[in-house]
Amino acid sequence: MKFPNKVTRYRDSIFYYCTLVLEFLDENDLYPQDLYEMCKKKSKQFDIKIFMDCLDSLYALNKITIDSRTGELHYVEKHTM
């Protein structure tokens, strides 16, 4: 997992990709497979490792939740407003 610093640009860090994931989840709740495909189309560097790092980070920061019944990902901020 890359964090921005003197060597790693923000665009190459995990935070850049997290904003991409949240951008799609802000519009709709999505299944992980659908979200992955959408993100992959938007960024050529996006791969499964980056996707899993994003989901781990966003879940740890309490920005996303997973519906245990359906398996859909939810953007927490969207549902609290």
Side-chain angles (χ1 to χ4, degrees), residues 41-57:
K41 286 180 185 175
K42 184 122 183 194
S43 175
K44 292 181 182 182
Q45 292 84 15
F46 200 88
D47 62 6
I48 193 68
K49 181 183 179 331
I50 291 172
F51 182 64
M52 294 306 297
D53 286 345
C54 286
L55 293 184
D56 288 343
S57 300

Side-chain angles (χ1 to χ4, degrees), residues 6-30:
K6 291 179 182 178
V7 178
T8 306
R9 298 180 316 159
Y10 171 76
R11 184 158 171 80
D12 297 330
S13 74
I14 195 66
F15 296 136
Y16 171 77
Y17 296 107
C18 286
T19 58
L20 181 66
V21 168
L22 289 177
E23 180 182 312
F24 288 117
L25 285 177
D26 190 34
E27 297 171 10
N28 293 311
D29 296 337
L30 296 167

